[in-house]
Each structure stands twice: as structure tokens, then as C-alpha cells.
Amino acid sequence: MLPGPFGRLLAAGGQALTGRGLTARAPRPERTEPPVALVYRGPATLPGCPEAVAALLKSSQWGFDVRYVGPDEDLPLSHRTLAEAALYAQPGGGSLKRGYRHLKGHRDDIRQFVHSGGRYLGICLGGYLAGHTPGFALLPGDTDQYIASSGATIDSQKNTVVRVSWRGRRRTLFFQDGPYFWLPPNARADILATYLNGTIAAMVTHFGAGRVGVVGPHPEATDDWYLDARLPAAGRLGADLGRDLVDTVMRP
């Protein structure tokens, strides 16, 4: 069961989910405490990334109470803060080496949170950080640069767009040197999306009693991201895919 008030909500009844999202609505008990989602905001991310993730979470069906955590926030990223949350989100940021340097001191707390039933959402750098080399070691496999993979459709670290197959449908998403994810044989995972070279672009897997959702591109990107990068945004916003990822990682 999830820690905190969200675990109690699931025990009392909720919405039936499948790997493809919401399938049926069950009556919800009246609740006074919405599930808490923590979004990291600090030196291991970039301006705009935490806010876009927070907006994505707020737009989901889960009614999250979204709070920022970080060295300059009202709430620290700590075991005690995580214990009250249903989900921890690690947004995009700069390099993996720099990001992990700022977050490695929180590795054990994040692992314990997920292992005991919490949910981890990692986007771009947050996806890299879910891996092992270096990272929080939440995945049964690991991560690597998509642009370095065989047959990659992109070979630059610049802001661009990438085509993926999300649950069998072609979509185009904002992309900036995001990871792909690889799994060992017989690993359990819900693969939501692949890049066009067949590598994994988004997936959800288990870690202990918890679940880990990761994605290489940026489904949370808003139209201003495209405008700032001089990329056409029409038809390329992916908030619906981001909500699909959130629904899948929150599945009981």
C-alpha cells in the first residue's frame, strides 16, 4: 500500500485502472486529504521544468496537493517529507553528472520511499536519475543517451522534437538529449512508448512495493517551450500522454 493518505484512499475504494489508464469510475468516498505529490525544484533542474511537471500533475484526475521540495523551498527533500507523499517527481534539468552530484545525498531516502510503496515520476534527467550509472537505482535495467543509440533519429543535444510510438500511435514530443531505457530479459515493465529505432522512450516498472514511471522526451512541455526553441508546437503538445504516464504509475 502507498504511504500516507493516498494509501488509505485506495484501501477505501477508488478508480479502477489498467495499463491504458482509466477504465471505470467507482464511487469515491468523501475525502478531506488529497494525495500529496512532491516536485523537486532546485539546482538539479532548470527553470520552467518543475513548474511544467507541477502543472501536469495538477491537470490529472488524481486531485494532487502539489508541493515543491528542495534546498530553497519551504519543504526539504527528506525522509520525513517523503513519508507524507504519494508521488515524488524528478523533473528535467542539466547534465546527469551535475544533477546526481546535487541529489546523491537523497538517494537512500528516495529508494526507501519507493520501495515501501511510493511512486516515482522521472522526466528526461529524472529518467536518467532513475538508473544506476549514476542514479537512484530504481530500474531493473539502466538508461543511456537516445542520441547515442543505434538508428537514433536525432544526433544533437539541442532542443528539438522527437517522434515516438505511444501505445501504438505516432506522436511528436519536445526533446532535449533525453534517455532511452533498457531492460534485462524477463524484466517486468509496462512499455508505454518507443522511439522509432525500437528503444524504450517511456515505461513503468516496479521497485519493491512501489512503482517507477520514466520518460525520455517531455510530454509536459508547454507551448512556450516550443516558441522559445523556435519549434512548431501545433499538434505536438503531449499533456495527454503525460497524464497517461501518471495514471499508469499511480495504478494500485
Side-chain angles (χ1 to χ4, degrees):
M1 181 179 291
L2 291 179
F6 185 68
R8 296 193 292 273
L9 174 61
L10 282 180
Q15 297 185 356
L17 300 174
T18 71
R20 291 183 178 270
L22 185 65
T23 59
R25 288 186 178 273
R28 284 188 179 273
E30 183 177 352
R31 71 188 188 201
T32 57
E33 296 182 2
V36 173
L38 304 177
V39 178
Y40 174 85
R41 185 164 63 179
T45 189
L46 295 173
C49 290
E51 293 79 10
V53 173
L56 173 67
L57 292 170
K58 289 177 182 178
S59 75
S60 76
Q61 63 170 318
W62 295 93
F64 287 113
D65 175 5
V66 180
R67 307 174 186 179
Y68 293 109
V69 293
D72 297 319
E73 301 298 327
D74 292 338
L75 292 173
L77 176 52
S78 66
H79 171 76
R80 187 171 186 176
T81 306
L82 288 165
E84 296 300 317
L87 178 144
Y88 170 74
Q90 188 68 55
S95 71
L96 174 58
K97 182 178 180 180
R98 182 175 185 273
Y100 187 66
R101 184 172 71 247
H102 287 290
L103 287 164
K104 63 182 179 180
H106 304 290
R107 181 179 185 271
D108 290 345
D109 287 340
I110 292 171
R111 284 173 54 82
Q112 182 178 347
F113 163 71
V114 182
H115 196 271
S116 64
R119 269 46 175 172
Y120 177 95
L121 177 66
I123 298 178
C124 195
L125 176 60
Y128 277 115
L129 286 165
H132 291 254
T133 53
F136 306 139
L138 298 173
L139 302 178
D142 209 345
T143 71
D144 205 344
Q145 282 181 297
Y146 169 66
I147 64 173
S149 63
S150 177
T153 57
I154 296 170
D155 60 5
S156 170
Q157 296 183 5
K158 295 180 180 179
N159 292 333
T160 186
V161 292
V162 67
R163 288 183 295 165
V164 301
S165 175
W166 194 289
R167 297 197 187 274
R169 300 182 66 181
R170 290 286 180 93
R171 294 290 295 269
T172 304
L173 295 171
F174 192 96
F175 185 81
Q176 198 276 313
D177 196 20
Y180 75 91
F181 309 96
W182 62 265
L183 296 169
N186 302 319
R188 293 178 57 200
D190 294 325
I191 298 174
L192 278 64
T194 57
Y195 297 104
L196 297 193
N197 67 351
T199 56
I200 299 172
M203 71 177 189
V204 175
T205 187
H206 290 270
F207 180 72
R211 290 169 70 84
V212 179
V214 288
V215 59
H218 286 273
E220 85 286 12
T222 52
D223 55 0
D224 59 304
W225 290 33
Y226 291 86
L227 291 172
D228 290 346
R230 298 183 179 180
L231 297 168
R236 289 177 172 170
L237 299 183
D240 59 321
L241 305 183
R243 288 189 289 269
D244 181 29
L245 177 62
V246 172
D247 285 346
T248 306
V249 79
M250 293 299 293
R251 191 172 70 200

